[in-house]
Amino acid sequence: MHWSEHAIWWHIHPLSFTGAEREALPPTATPVPRLTRLTPWLDYLVDLGCNGLALGPVFASETHGYDTVDHFRVDSRLGEEADLVNLVEQARARGVRVLLDGVFHHVGRGFPALPDLAAHNPDGSERVFEGHKHLVALNHTSPQVTDYVTRVLIHWLDRGIAGWRLDAAYAVPLPFWRTVTARVRDRHPDAWLTGEVIHGDYTGYVTEGGLDSVTQYELWKAIWSALNDHNFHELAWALTRHNALLDTFAPQTFVGNHDVTRLASRLDDTRHLEHALVMLLTTGGIPSIYAGDEQAFRGIKEDREGGDDEIRPPFPQHPAHLAPHGENYHRLHQHLIGLRRRNPWLVRAHTTVKSLTNETLTYTATHANHHLTVALSLADHPTRAALPGPNWQLTAGNATLTETNAEAELPPHGWLIATPRD
């Protein structure tokens, strides 16, 4: 089993997390070693149960990190290369791997080699990314671009990182990724490469593009939408599709990230935060937790300049300074992540729906000879859920089992995870 299949990521956006300025520092400014502020949070993520730190952009950029101007230089708002290397070493000492975020579909207008590497429209104008005129697309048919991206990936893998999240991978031609990933694996065969893919043929990015995984936006959407609409049929359909993906690769699963409204703000009923977390941690895939979601942070993404501010807030200098109101949800994360780590087979588990109504769902997660059962209820009244056989024990949840252990009694908005008795 590849190390990535044991990974549970804690994901942060470093520039906003550390309270960095909105715009790049002047070229003559002294770098500010804000990456050192992340060291206390390494113990926090380990205590949470995670073993991976997924960093958002850390390279020199003009504003938010996704308008890169130099992939070989750490943004001076965060420090210098030595600060990043030290963070990687501090993480490794705790058994934590570090993932970097690489933006290789587009760059900022201040990118030095832009005239040579930019993609152009038929009229000669530069192509931009999704209407953002300050984000200029690279020419992915150019051998120079292929060489450049390959060198960047290898440069930081040589310095100890474990892999890459490839931003906007869905907008880059698959043959480009195939060439780059093959070259990278020649030097770093153990690297994990996951792509941001929002829609389309997820499997193709693995089989044709050479990536290891992609972001599972379909499951993310089905989870919160099913909870809000009291429509578990939508989720059941998405789980069927998810099973098909697991036949080829382990998708990167999540219920929150730096690009979407926080789950606590997205859900109409915050009692269903627990249901969402249960689904994330009992279905197949490689899960990630967006920093602050484990504390039930709120935040709404808006389509305007500065519209990411609420979902990317600055964090305190030390975890001890977090407000206490999220502690119960934090403890639930610890409990369910612990369950996940004790059952590593879940990374490849297929989900089989056993019973289904608009407001109730029972499913089993199975891989090889391993299995567990999950029952969820969105109803305002008590419900019952049949378990697949008598030999089950309650592992987590607010439900109770009947005397025969073949049926569960769920309170309003209840849930449970049951595992076979030894």
Side-chain angles (χ1 to χ4, degrees):
M1 181 181 282
H2 189 263
W3 65 261
S4 63
E5 300 202 357
H6 294 279
I8 300 176
W9 299 97
W10 194 62
H11 169 208
I12 74 170
H13 182 263
L15 287 168
S16 58
F17 188 100
T18 59
E21 298 86 348
R22 286 181 178 271
E23 297 184 356
L25 298 181
T28 57
T30 301
V32 182
R34 287 190 173 92
L35 285 176
T36 61
R37 299 184 186 178
L38 300 184
T39 301
W41 292 93
L42 293 174
D43 294 326
Y44 173 87
L45 79 87
V46 171
D47 184 62
L48 186 63
C50 298
N51 59 354
L53 175 64
L55 294 174
V58 297
F59 306 121
S61 72
E62 295 172 331
T63 57
H64 45 59
Y66 291 94
D67 47 0
T68 316
V69 294
D70 188 347
H71 294 86
F72 292 101
R73 179 166 58 88
V74 171
D75 195 297
S76 58
R77 291 171 288 176
L78 296 173
E80 301 178 286
E81 178 172 319
D83 298 309
L84 179 56
V85 172
N86 180 64
L87 177 63
V88 173
E89 292 173 349
Q90 291 282 344
R92 183 186 296 114
R94 294 164 170 81
V96 174
R97 299 177 192 259
V98 175
L99 190 75
L100 290 187
D101 197 344
V103 189
F104 300 115
H105 171 267
H106 52 271
V107 293
R109 286 202 169 272
F111 188 73
L114 187 60
D116 295 326
L117 303 184
H120 292 82
N121 293 306
D123 63 3
S125 63
E126 292 170 340
R127 286 175 46 212
V128 299
F129 176 63
E130 296 182 352
H132 300 286
K133 61 182 180 180
H134 58 288
L135 301 177
V136 181
L138 295 173
N139 178 9
H140 296 95
T141 65
S142 165
Q144 290 175 277
V145 173
T146 305
D147 293 343
Y148 176 81
V149 173
T150 302
R151 285 192 292 113
V152 172
L153 297 184
I154 290 175
H155 176 87
W156 294 105
L157 286 165
D158 284 348
R159 281 151 183 78
I161 69 164
W164 287 88
R165 173 196 179 269
L166 302 169
D167 183 73
Y170 59 89
V172 176
L174 294 181
F176 176 86
W177 289 131
R178 171 60 71 180
T179 300
V180 169
T181 57
R183 293 182 183 179
V184 169
R185 294 191 201 288
D186 282 344
R187 186 176 181 103
H188 291 280
D190 209 31
W192 187 62
L193 307 175
T194 185
E196 181 197 17
V197 179
I198 299 174
H199 41 63
D201 178 14
Y202 286 6
T203 303
Y205 289 88
V206 175
T207 59
E208 299 176 42
L211 304 183
D212 294 298
S213 185
V214 301
T215 50
Q216 224 306 24
Y217 268 91
E218 289 181 0
L219 186 60
W220 161 78
K221 193 270 180 185
I223 289 174
W224 64 258
S225 180
L227 294 173
N228 277 351
D229 295 344
H230 286 222
N231 179 17
F232 273 134
H233 292 274
E234 176 183 0
L235 179 61
W237 185 93
L239 289 171
T240 300
R241 158 83 165 165
H242 190 61
N243 284 340
L245 300 179
L246 286 160
D247 289 337
T248 303
F249 70 101
Q252 184 184 354
T253 55
F254 60 95
V255 290
N257 66 30
H258 67 296
D259 276 332
V260 300
T261 290
R262 291 216 180 237
L263 189 64
S265 294
R266 174 80 71 176
L267 292 179
D268 297 334
D269 189 333
T270 54
R271 287 177 294 184
H272 299 156
L273 282 169
E274 297 185 7
H275 297 69
L277 185 63
V278 169
M279 287 183 269
L280 174 66
L281 293 173
T282 59
T283 52
I286 298 172
S288 63
I289 309 295
Y290 180 48
D293 281 359
E294 77 283 356
Q295 297 282 345
F297 276 21
R298 291 179 173 271
I300 297 174
K301 180 181 175 70
E302 299 181 54
D303 188 16
R304 61 173 177 81
E305 186 174 350
D308 293 319
D309 289 354
E310 280 196 14
I311 62 173
R312 304 177 187 176
F315 276 58
Q317 293 271 359
H318 192 279
H321 301 150
L322 285 167
H325 58 74
E327 183 55 34
N328 287 341
Y329 196 45
H330 177 263
R331 284 198 296 268
L332 181 62
H333 272 74
Q334 291 175 311
H335 182 59
L336 294 181
I337 291 173
L339 183 148
R340 178 81 177 206
R341 296 188 67 78
R342 292 190 299 274
N343 296 275
W345 57 270
L346 280 165
V347 70
R348 291 285 181 171
H350 281 55
T351 304
T352 303
V353 172
K354 294 298 184 180
S355 66
L356 174 66
T357 70
N358 285 343
E359 293 190 319
T360 62
L361 172 66
T362 303
Y363 63 82
T364 59
T366 307
H367 180 68
N369 296 321
H370 305 285
H371 48 282
L372 59 75
T373 292
V374 175
L376 306 166
S377 173
L378 308 180
D380 292 326
H381 53 81
T383 58
R384 286 200 166 202
L387 302 179
N391 294 317
W392 294 87
Q393 59 187 353
L394 185 65
T395 302
N398 54 12
T400 57
L401 301 185
T402 61
E403 290 184 4
T404 64
N405 298 317
E407 193 175 43
E409 296 181 351
L410 280 71
H413 303 270
W415 62 273
L416 69 80
I417 302 172
T419 53
R421 289 185 179 275
D422 294 333

